[in-house]
Amino acid sequence: AVNQVLEEIPPDRVVFRVAQLARNPYRWRLVYAASATFGQTIRLTKSQTRLDTLPHAAAAGFWYLHQKEPEKAIEAFAVVRRLPYGEEIFALAQTLASFHNAKELATIANLELPPLPTQPLLRPTTWEAIKSLQRIIADIQMLQRSPSRSARSLALNRAQGEVKNILDNIETIPQAERELIKEIAQNWQQALLELTAEVGQINITEPVRNPYTIGDPVVGQKFVGREDIIRDLTELWILTDRPQSIVLYGHRRMGKTSILLNIANLLGAKVKLAYINLLRIGSNPQGVGEVLIAITDAIAKEVNLEPPADADLLDLPYRNFERYLNRVISNLDGSLIVALDEFEKIETLIANKKIPPDFMGFLRGMVQMSPKLAFALAGLHTLDEMTEDYFHPFFASIIPIRVGFLTLGATRQILANPGDEDFLLDYEPEALDRIYELTHGQPYLVQLAGFLLVRRYNELTFETGRPQKNIFTKEDVEAVIDNPDFYGHGRYYFTGVWDQAAQGAKGQQEILTALAPHPEGLTLAALGNATRIDSASLQAALETLDRHDVVKENDNRWQIAVELLRPWVANR
């Protein structure tokens, strides 16, 4: 009777209907019967599962999950993978199989975190449990790698709390995978218990030193994330015979300077990086010679070759710079990257007639002079967004690399393990998730949230005498965000976004003003009605804002990307 009903289900409903059958069945042999082939003598003990039809394969997959045989479930779910919800249950079986096979801490730490499926979900409570297991993996990785006893203690406490939460709520998970997840949690709990005595507990008896950096570049162990950009720069500068010129572009306080300062320590002996912040030149230099003095001073520091005299560069800047660069290149065993941070300063200096318009063309000529030389420009824009054509010489030869938001994983790592061996505070998972929701991984705002949380903890504990737990909660995050200090410090990011929206495509500020009252966002049509901007101009402005990580499109609705920016715009 069950098989007769299953045969009548349309293919696009197969996974959903079989999942209903397997959610809390009267008897699990019923699910087995739906997956089996019977001989003339109908005896369940002699039947075998079959995968030759979609309903039988789906039923077999759930049966094997119930039997705690996720590898066989993978094979069964592969048959229905292309159906609605099929990819979800296939990924579920794969994830549980890898988690089930990992029982030792070292093995758990090496598990790769699988991507979570998007809504709507067939098994939402199961995926919540898997999220908890993913957080346990991240904490076990910290336990394995961190030299700090306090960081390891906090990670152990977090992981044990996650395991307990899974086991306390195990009855909310569908029966098919319930026992499998329970066994995984218990295995990992046992592995963690063996570390409890070794790691120990931490007591805080004096104010905690604040490890978070706001405003200044982040260097050394505190620099985390950006693995994709570091990998790209490594390929372009190290794994090649000829280094490639690049432009790092992104909004202010996205971490471009931190990337340049940290990549310099990873390039090896044969690749030198000379870093120049063009803002330090000032607004009234003595011509192009003063710009080249700053560049030669930075190069000299890296290659140990005396730069030209200032008077020579002020007198004949191009000729003497070229001569010096030729000497540098002839003495190089490898290659040289000249990094110009805040390169839009060049456009300002040209516009104010402080340096000649042919300056960028001259730099391009220097690159063509030798395969050992490349430039790294860091700023708000790609070169094709610059307003003047004197940047065009670089267009054909420079690779743009976008510096956007941090991932959730990198955000969690920055906050929970800020590269400080003596950091004694911790975060509940919900607190970490809330910070990411509010900041969208904007590096400056992430660091600011952590900085203000530590400052608040020290004030409450050691100044007002109100002892606090050494673990930040979601409520602590809300208290910090609601404090006027947050927006006072955050104005450097907020005003930077707002001021940049006044440049380039018209209508950007009008769009932000229209979106500010709507956390759920607006459709394109509603946004057009609210701003009264014509369709072509609206699209151009949205593309600019999207490229600069100011807005995002989600389910055909446009939203301000960083939630914390939205009330700032609304109240400005």
Side-chain angles (χ1 to χ4, degrees), residues 129-206:
I130 288 175
K131 284 183 183 179
S132 289
L133 291 169
Q134 287 183 320
R135 290 192 284 261
I136 294 170
I137 294 171
D139 286 323
I140 289 176
Q141 289 172 346
M142 192 176 298
L143 276 166
Q144 294 283 301
R145 301 167 187 171
S146 177
S148 166
R149 190 170 72 89
S150 60
R152 297 178 72 220
S153 175
L154 296 172
L156 177 61
N157 289 338
R158 281 196 305 270
Q160 289 175 327
E162 292 285 0
V163 171
K164 184 177 184 301
N165 182 61
I166 293 171
L167 294 175
D168 287 348
N169 294 282
I170 200 69
E171 295 299 321
T172 66
I173 296 172
Q175 286 186 14
E177 59 268 32
R178 182 185 300 167
E179 291 302 314
L180 183 57
I181 290 176
K182 181 178 180 180
E183 186 171 302
I184 293 169
Q186 289 173 336
N187 287 339
W188 292 13
Q189 185 180 52
Q190 183 59 41
L192 290 166
L193 283 174
E194 295 174 4
L195 273 182
T196 302
E198 175 188 337
V199 173
Q201 300 295 317
I202 299 297
N203 294 317
I204 301 177
T205 58
E206 59 185 24

Coordinates of all heavy atoms in Angstrom, one line a residue, residues 129-206:
A129 N 21.6 22.0 14.6 CA 22.5 21.2 15.3 C 23.9 21.1 14.6 O 24.9 21.1 15.2 CB 21.9 19.8 15.5
I130 N 23.8 21.1 13.2 CA 25.1 21.1 12.5 C 25.8 22.4 12.6 O 27.1 22.4 12.7 CB 24.7 20.8 11.0 CG1 24.3 19.3 10.9 CG2 25.9 21.0 10.1 CD1 23.9 18.9 9.5
K131 N 25.1 23.5 12.7 CA 25.8 24.8 13.0 C 26.5 24.7 14.3 O 27.7 25.2 14.4 CB 24.7 25.9 13.0 CG 24.2 26.4 11.7 CD 23.3 27.5 11.9 CE 22.7 28.0 10.5 NZ 21.7 29.1 10.7
S132 N 25.9 24.1 15.3 CA 26.6 24.0 16.6 C 27.8 23.1 16.5 O 28.9 23.4 17.0 CB 25.6 23.4 17.6 OG 24.6 24.3 18.0
L133 N 27.7 22.0 15.7 CA 28.9 21.1 15.5 C 30.0 21.9 14.7 O 31.2 21.7 15.0 CB 28.4 19.9 14.7 CG 27.5 18.9 15.4 CD1 27.0 17.9 14.5 CD2 28.3 18.2 16.6
Q134 N 29.6 22.8 13.8 CA 30.6 23.6 13.1 C 31.3 24.5 14.1 O 32.5 24.7 14.0 CB 29.9 24.4 12.0 CG 29.5 23.6 10.8 CD 28.9 24.4 9.7 OE1 28.2 25.4 10.0 NE2 29.2 24.2 8.5
R135 N 30.6 25.1 15.0 CA 31.2 26.0 16.0 C 32.1 25.2 16.9 O 33.2 25.7 17.3 CB 30.1 26.7 16.8 CG 29.4 27.8 16.0 CD 28.5 28.7 16.9 NE 27.3 28.0 17.4 CZ 26.1 28.2 16.8 NH1 26.0 29.0 15.8 NH2 25.1 27.6 17.4
I136 N 31.8 23.9 17.2 CA 32.7 23.1 18.0 C 34.0 22.8 17.2 O 35.0 22.8 17.8 CB 31.9 21.7 18.3 CG1 30.8 22.0 19.3 CG2 32.9 20.8 19.0 CD1 29.9 20.8 19.5
I137 N 33.8 22.6 15.9 CA 35.1 22.4 15.1 C 36.0 23.6 15.2 O 37.2 23.4 15.4 CB 34.7 22.1 13.6 CG1 33.9 20.7 13.5 CG2 35.9 22.1 12.7 CD1 33.3 20.5 12.2
A138 N 35.4 24.8 15.0 CA 36.2 26.0 15.1 C 36.9 26.1 16.4 O 38.1 26.5 16.5 CB 35.3 27.2 14.8
D139 N 36.2 25.8 17.5 CA 36.8 25.9 18.9 C 37.9 24.8 19.1 O 38.9 25.1 19.7 CB 35.7 25.8 19.9 CG 34.9 27.0 20.0 OD1 35.4 28.1 19.9 OD2 33.6 26.9 20.3
I140 N 37.6 23.6 18.5 CA 38.7 22.6 18.7 C 39.9 23.0 17.9 O 41.0 22.7 18.3 CB 38.1 21.2 18.2 CG1 37.1 20.7 19.2 CG2 39.2 20.2 18.0 CD1 36.4 19.4 18.8
Q141 N 39.7 23.6 16.7 CA 40.9 24.1 16.0 C 41.7 25.1 16.8 O 42.9 25.1 16.8 CB 40.4 24.8 14.7 CG 39.9 23.8 13.6 CD 39.2 24.5 12.5 OE1 38.9 25.6 12.5 NE2 39.0 23.7 11.4
M142 N 41.0 26.0 17.5 CA 41.7 26.9 18.4 C 42.4 26.2 19.6 O 43.5 26.5 19.9 CB 40.7 27.9 19.0 CG 41.3 29.1 19.7 SD 40.1 30.4 20.2 CE 39.4 30.8 18.6
L143 N 41.7 25.1 20.1 CA 42.3 24.3 21.1 C 43.6 23.7 20.6 O 44.6 23.6 21.4 CB 41.4 23.2 21.6 CG 40.3 23.6 22.6 CD1 39.3 22.5 22.7 CD2 41.0 23.8 24.0
Q144 N 43.7 23.3 19.4 CA 44.8 22.6 18.8 C 45.9 23.6 18.5 O 47.1 23.2 18.6 CB 44.4 21.9 17.6 CG 43.4 20.7 17.8 CD 44.2 19.5 18.3 OE1 45.1 18.9 17.7 NE2 43.7 19.0 19.5
R145 N 45.6 24.8 18.1 CA 46.6 25.7 17.5 C 47.0 26.9 18.4 O 48.1 27.4 18.2 CB 46.0 26.3 16.2 CG 45.7 25.2 15.2 CD 44.9 25.7 14.0 NE 44.4 24.7 13.2 CZ 43.6 24.8 12.2 NH1 43.1 26.0 11.9 NH2 43.2 23.8 11.4
S146 N 46.2 27.3 19.4 CA 46.5 28.5 20.1 C 47.5 28.2 21.2 O 47.4 27.2 21.9 CB 45.2 29.0 20.8 OG 45.6 30.1 21.6
P147 N 48.6 29.0 21.3 CA 49.5 28.8 22.4 C 49.1 29.4 23.8 O 49.7 29.2 24.8 CB 50.8 29.6 21.9 CG 50.1 30.7 21.1 CD 48.9 30.1 20.4
S148 N 47.9 30.1 23.7 CA 47.4 30.8 24.9 C 46.6 29.9 25.7 O 45.6 29.3 25.3 CB 46.6 32.0 24.5 OG 45.9 32.5 25.6
R149 N 46.9 29.7 27.0 CA 46.1 28.9 27.9 C 44.7 29.5 28.1 O 43.7 28.7 28.2 CB 46.8 28.7 29.3 CG 46.2 27.7 30.2 CD 47.0 27.4 31.4 NE 47.0 28.5 32.3 CZ 46.1 28.6 33.3 NH1 45.2 27.7 33.5 NH2 46.2 29.6 34.2
S150 N 44.6 30.8 28.2 CA 43.3 31.4 28.4 C 42.4 31.2 27.1 O 41.2 30.9 27.2 CB 43.5 32.9 28.7 OG 44.1 33.6 27.6
A151 N 43.0 31.4 25.9 CA 42.2 31.2 24.7 C 41.8 29.7 24.6 O 40.6 29.5 24.2 CB 43.1 31.6 23.5
R152 N 42.6 28.8 25.0 CA 42.2 27.4 24.9 C 41.2 27.1 26.0 O 40.2 26.3 25.7 CB 43.5 26.5 25.2 CG 44.5 26.7 24.1 CD 45.8 25.8 24.4 NE 45.5 24.4 24.1 CZ 45.9 23.4 24.9 NH1 46.6 23.7 26.0 NH2 45.6 22.2 24.6
S153 N 41.3 27.6 27.1 CA 40.2 27.4 28.2 C 38.9 27.9 27.7 O 37.9 27.2 27.9 CB 40.7 28.1 29.5 OG 39.6 28.0 30.4
L154 N 38.9 29.1 27.1 CA 37.6 29.7 26.7 C 37.0 28.9 25.5 O 35.8 28.6 25.4 CB 37.8 31.1 26.2 CG 38.3 32.1 27.4 CD1 38.6 33.4 26.8 CD2 37.2 32.2 28.4
A155 N 37.9 28.4 24.6 CA 37.4 27.6 23.5 C 36.9 26.3 24.0 O 35.8 25.8 23.5 CB 38.6 27.4 22.5
L156 N 37.5 25.7 25.0 CA 37.0 24.4 25.5 C 35.6 24.6 26.2 O 34.7 23.8 26.0 CB 38.0 23.9 26.6 CG 37.6 22.6 27.3 CD1 37.4 21.5 26.3 CD2 38.6 22.3 28.4
N157 N 35.5 25.7 26.9 CA 34.2 26.0 27.5 C 33.1 26.2 26.5 O 32.0 25.7 26.7 CB 34.3 27.2 28.4 CG 35.1 27.0 29.7 OD1 35.3 25.9 30.1 ND2 35.7 28.1 30.3
R158 N 33.4 26.9 25.4 CA 32.4 27.1 24.4 C 32.0 25.8 23.7 O 30.8 25.5 23.5 CB 33.0 28.1 23.3 CG 33.0 29.5 23.6 CD 33.2 30.4 22.4 NE 34.4 30.0 21.7 CZ 35.6 30.5 21.9 NH1 35.7 31.5 22.8 NH2 36.7 30.2 21.2
A159 N 33.0 25.0 23.4 CA 32.7 23.7 22.7 C 31.9 22.8 23.6 O 30.9 22.2 23.2 CB 34.0 23.0 22.4
Q160 N 32.2 22.7 24.9 CA 31.4 21.9 25.8 C 30.0 22.4 25.9 O 29.0 21.6 26.0 CB 32.1 21.9 27.2 CG 33.4 21.0 27.2 CD 34.1 21.1 28.5 OE1 34.1 22.1 29.2 NE2 34.8 20.0 28.9
G161 N 29.8 23.7 25.9 CA 28.5 24.3 26.0 C 27.7 24.0 24.7 O 26.5 23.7 24.8
E162 N 28.3 24.0 23.6 CA 27.6 23.6 22.3 C 27.2 22.2 22.3 O 26.1 21.8 21.9 CB 28.6 23.9 21.1 CG 28.9 25.4 20.9 CD 27.7 26.1 20.2 OE1 26.6 25.5 20.0 OE2 27.8 27.3 20.0
V163 N 28.1 21.3 22.8 CA 27.7 19.9 22.9 C 26.5 19.7 23.8 O 25.6 18.9 23.5 CB 28.9 19.0 23.4 CG1 28.5 17.6 23.7 CG2 30.0 19.0 22.3
K164 N 26.6 20.3 25.0 CA 25.4 20.2 25.9 C 24.1 20.7 25.3 O 23.1 20.1 25.5 CB 25.8 21.0 27.2 CG 24.7 20.8 28.3 CD 25.1 21.6 29.5 CE 24.1 21.3 30.7 NZ 22.7 21.8 30.3
N165 N 24.2 21.8 24.5 CA 23.0 22.3 23.9 C 22.4 21.4 22.9 O 21.2 21.2 22.8 CB 23.4 23.7 23.2 CG 22.2 24.3 22.6 OD1 21.2 24.7 23.2 ND2 22.2 24.5 21.3
I166 N 23.3 20.7 22.1 CA 22.8 19.7 21.2 C 22.1 18.6 21.9 O 21.0 18.2 21.5 CB 24.0 19.2 20.3 CG1 24.6 20.3 19.4 CG2 23.5 18.0 19.5 CD1 25.9 19.9 18.7
L167 N 22.8 18.0 22.9 CA 22.2 16.9 23.6 C 20.9 17.3 24.4 O 20.0 16.4 24.5 CB 23.2 16.3 24.6 CG 24.5 15.7 23.9 CD1 25.5 15.2 24.9 CD2 24.0 14.5 23.0
D168 N 20.9 18.5 24.9 CA 19.7 18.9 25.6 C 18.5 19.0 24.7 O 17.3 18.9 25.1 CB 19.9 20.2 26.3 CG 20.8 20.1 27.6 OD1 21.0 19.0 28.0 OD2 21.3 21.1 28.1
N169 N 18.7 19.3 23.4 CA 17.6 19.5 22.4 C 17.6 18.4 21.4 O 17.0 18.6 20.3 CB 17.9 20.9 21.8 CG 17.7 22.1 22.7 OD1 16.6 22.5 23.1 ND2 18.9 22.6 23.1
I170 N 18.1 17.3 21.7 CA 18.2 16.2 20.7 C 16.8 15.8 20.3 O 16.6 15.3 19.1 CB 19.0 15.0 21.3 CG1 19.5 14.1 20.2 CG2 18.2 14.2 22.3 CD1 20.5 14.7 19.3
E171 N 15.8 15.9 21.1 CA 14.4 15.4 20.8 C 13.8 16.3 19.7 O 12.8 15.9 19.1 CB 13.5 15.4 22.0 CG 13.9 14.4 23.1 CD 13.9 12.9 22.6 OE1 13.0 12.6 21.8 OE2 14.9 12.2 22.9
T172 N 14.3 17.5 19.4 CA 13.7 18.3 18.4 C 14.2 17.9 17.0 O 13.7 18.4 16.0 CB 14.1 19.8 18.6 OG1 15.6 19.9 18.5 CG2 13.7 20.2 20.0
I173 N 15.2 17.0 16.9 CA 15.8 16.6 15.6 C 14.9 15.4 15.1 O 14.6 14.5 15.9 CB 17.2 16.2 15.8 CG1 18.0 17.4 16.2 CG2 17.8 15.6 14.5 CD1 19.5 17.1 16.6
P174 N 14.6 15.4 13.8 CA 13.9 14.3 13.2 C 14.5 12.9 13.5 O 15.7 12.8 13.6 CB 13.9 14.6 11.7 CG 14.0 16.0 11.6 CD 14.9 16.4 12.8
Q175 N 13.7 11.9 13.7 CA 14.2 10.6 14.1 C 15.2 10.0 13.2 O 16.1 9.3 13.7 CB 13.0 9.6 14.2 CG 12.1 9.8 15.4 CD 11.0 8.7 15.6 OE1 11.1 7.7 14.9 NE2 10.0 9.0 16.4
A176 N 15.1 10.3 11.9 CA 16.0 9.6 11.0 C 17.5 9.9 11.3 O 18.3 8.9 11.3 CB 15.7 10.1 9.5
E177 N 17.8 11.1 11.6 CA 19.2 11.4 11.9 C 19.5 11.7 13.4 O 20.6 12.0 13.8 CB 19.6 12.7 11.1 CG 18.8 13.9 11.3 CD 17.7 14.1 10.4 OE1 17.1 13.1 9.9 OE2 17.3 15.2 10.1
R178 N 18.4 11.6 14.3 CA 18.6 11.9 15.7 C 19.7 11.1 16.4 O 20.6 11.7 17.0 CB 17.3 11.7 16.4 CG 17.3 12.1 17.9 CD 16.0 11.8 18.5 NE 14.8 12.5 17.9 CZ 13.6 12.2 18.1 NH1 13.3 11.2 19.0 NH2 12.6 12.9 17.5
E179 N 19.6 9.8 16.3 CA 20.6 9.0 17.0 C 22.0 9.2 16.4 O 23.0 9.1 17.1 CB 20.2 7.5 16.9 CG 18.9 7.2 17.7 CD 19.1 7.6 19.2 OE1 20.2 7.2 19.8 OE2 18.2 8.2 19.7
L180 N 22.1 9.4 15.1 CA 23.4 9.7 14.5 C 24.0 10.9 15.1 O 25.2 10.9 15.4 CB 23.2 9.7 13.0 CG 24.5 9.9 12.1 CD1 25.5 8.8 12.4 CD2 24.2 10.0 10.7
I181 N 23.3 12.0 15.1 CA 23.8 13.3 15.7 C 24.1 13.1 17.2 O 25.1 13.6 17.7 CB 22.8 14.4 15.4 CG1 22.7 14.7 13.9 CG2 23.1 15.7 16.2 CD1 21.7 15.7 13.5
K182 N 23.3 12.4 17.9 CA 23.5 12.1 19.3 C 24.8 11.4 19.5 O 25.6 11.8 20.4 CB 22.4 11.3 19.9 CG 22.5 11.0 21.4 CD 21.3 10.3 21.9 CE 21.4 10.0 23.4 NZ 20.2 9.2 23.9
E183 N 25.1 10.4 18.7 CA 26.4 9.7 18.8 C 27.6 10.6 18.4 O 28.6 10.5 19.1 CB 26.3 8.5 17.9 CG 27.5 7.6 18.0 CD 27.4 6.2 17.3 OE1 26.4 5.5 17.6 OE2 28.2 5.9 16.4
I184 N 27.4 11.4 17.4 CA 28.5 12.3 17.1 C 28.8 13.3 18.3 O 29.9 13.5 18.7 CB 28.1 13.2 15.8 CG1 28.1 12.3 14.6 CG2 29.1 14.3 15.6 CD1 27.4 13.0 13.4
A185 N 27.7 13.9 18.8 CA 27.9 14.8 20.0 C 28.5 14.1 21.2 O 29.4 14.7 21.8 CB 26.6 15.4 20.3
Q186 N 28.1 12.9 21.4 CA 28.7 12.2 22.6 C 30.2 11.8 22.3 O 31.0 11.9 23.3 CB 27.9 10.9 22.8 CG 26.5 11.2 23.4 CD 25.6 9.9 23.5 OE1 25.8 8.9 22.8 NE2 24.7 10.0 24.5
N187 N 30.5 11.4 21.1 CA 31.9 11.2 20.8 C 32.8 12.4 21.0 O 33.9 12.3 21.6 CB 32.1 10.7 19.3 CG 31.5 9.3 19.1 OD1 31.4 8.5 20.1 ND2 31.2 8.9 17.9
W188 N 32.3 13.5 20.5 CA 33.1 14.8 20.6 C 33.1 15.2 22.1 O 34.1 15.8 22.5 CB 32.5 15.8 19.7 CG 32.6 15.5 18.2 CD1 33.0 14.3 17.7 CD2 32.4 16.4 17.1 NE1 33.1 14.4 16.3 CE2 32.7 15.7 16.0 CE3 32.0 17.7 17.0 CZ2 32.5 16.2 14.7 CZ3 31.9 18.3 15.8 CH2 32.1 17.6 14.6
Q189 N 32.0 15.0 22.8 CA 32.0 15.4 24.2 C 33.1 14.6 25.0 O 33.8 15.2 25.8 CB 30.6 15.1 24.8 CG 30.5 15.5 26.2 CD 29.1 15.2 26.7 OE1 28.6 14.1 26.6 NE2 28.4 16.2 27.3
Q190 N 33.2 13.3 24.7 CA 34.2 12.5 25.3 C 35.7 13.0 25.0 O 36.5 13.1 25.9 CB 34.1 11.0 24.9 CG 35.0 10.1 25.6 CD 34.9 10.1 27.1 OE1 33.8 10.2 27.7 NE2 36.0 10.1 27.9
A191 N 35.9 13.4 23.8 CA 37.2 13.9 23.4 C 37.5 15.2 24.1 O 38.7 15.4 24.5 CB 37.2 14.1 21.8
L192 N 36.5 16.0 24.3 CA 36.7 17.3 25.0 C 37.0 17.1 26.5 O 37.8 17.8 27.1 CB 35.5 18.2 24.8 CG 35.3 18.8 23.3 CD1 33.9 19.4 23.2 CD2 36.4 19.8 23.0
L193 N 36.3 16.1 27.1 CA 36.4 15.9 28.5 C 37.9 15.5 28.8 O 38.4 15.8 29.9 CB 35.5 14.8 28.9 CG 34.0 15.2 29.1 CD1 33.2 13.9 29.4 CD2 33.9 16.2 30.2
E194 N 38.5 14.8 27.9 CA 39.9 14.4 28.2 C 40.9 15.6 28.3 O 42.0 15.5 28.8 CB 40.4 13.5 27.1 CG 39.6 12.2 27.1 CD 39.9 11.3 25.9 OE1 40.9 11.7 25.1 OE2 39.3 10.2 25.7
L195 N 40.4 16.8 27.8 CA 41.3 18.0 27.9 C 41.0 18.9 29.1 O 41.8 19.8 29.3 CB 41.1 18.8 26.6 CG 42.0 18.5 25.4 CD1 41.7 19.4 24.3 CD2 43.5 18.5 25.7
T196 N 39.9 18.6 29.8 CA 39.5 19.5 30.8 C 40.6 19.8 31.9 O 40.9 20.9 32.2 CB 38.2 19.0 31.5 OG1 37.2 18.8 30.5 CG2 37.7 20.0 32.5
A197 N 41.1 18.7 32.4 CA 42.2 18.9 33.4 C 43.4 19.6 32.9 O 44.0 20.4 33.6 CB 42.5 17.5 34.0
E198 N 43.7 19.3 31.6 CA 45.0 19.9 31.1 C 44.8 21.4 30.9 O 45.7 22.1 31.2 CB 45.2 19.2 29.7 CG 46.4 19.8 29.0 CD 46.5 19.3 27.6 OE1 46.0 18.1 27.3 OE2 47.1 20.0 26.7
V199 N 43.7 21.8 30.4 CA 43.5 23.2 30.0 C 43.2 24.1 31.3 O 43.8 25.2 31.5 CB 42.4 23.4 29.0 CG1 42.1 24.9 28.8 CG2 42.7 22.7 27.7
G200 N 42.3 23.6 32.2 CA 42.1 24.3 33.4 C 41.1 25.5 33.2 O 40.6 25.8 32.1
Q201 N 40.9 26.2 34.3 CA 40.0 27.4 34.3 C 40.8 28.7 34.5 O 41.9 28.7 35.0 CB 39.0 27.3 35.4 CG 38.1 26.0 35.3 CD 37.2 26.1 34.0 OE1 36.7 27.1 33.7 NE2 37.1 24.9 33.3
I202 N 40.2 29.8 34.1 CA 40.9 31.1 34.2 C 40.1 32.0 35.2 O 38.9 32.1 35.1 CB 40.9 31.8 32.8 CG1 41.7 30.9 31.8 CG2 41.5 33.2 32.9 CD1 43.2 30.7 32.2
N203 N 40.8 32.7 36.1 CA 40.2 33.7 36.9 C 40.8 35.1 36.6 O 42.0 35.2 36.3 CB 40.5 33.4 38.4 CG 39.9 32.1 38.9 OD1 38.7 31.8 38.5 ND2 40.6 31.3 39.6
I204 N 39.9 36.1 36.6 CA 40.3 37.4 36.2 C 40.4 38.3 37.5 O 39.4 38.4 38.2 CB 39.3 38.0 35.2 CG1 39.3 37.2 33.9 CG2 39.7 39.5 34.9 CD1 38.3 37.6 32.9
T205 N 41.5 38.8 37.8 CA 41.7 39.6 39.1 C 42.1 41.0 38.9 O 42.2 41.8 39.8 CB 42.8 38.9 40.0 OG1 44.0 38.8 39.2 CG2 42.3 37.5 40.4
E206 N 42.3 41.4 37.6 CA 42.6 42.8 37.3 C 42.1 43.2 35.9 O 41.7 42.3 35.1 CB 44.2 43.0 37.3 CG 44.9 42.1 36.3 CD 46.4 42.2 36.4 OE1 46.9 42.6 37.5 OE2 47.1 41.9 35.5

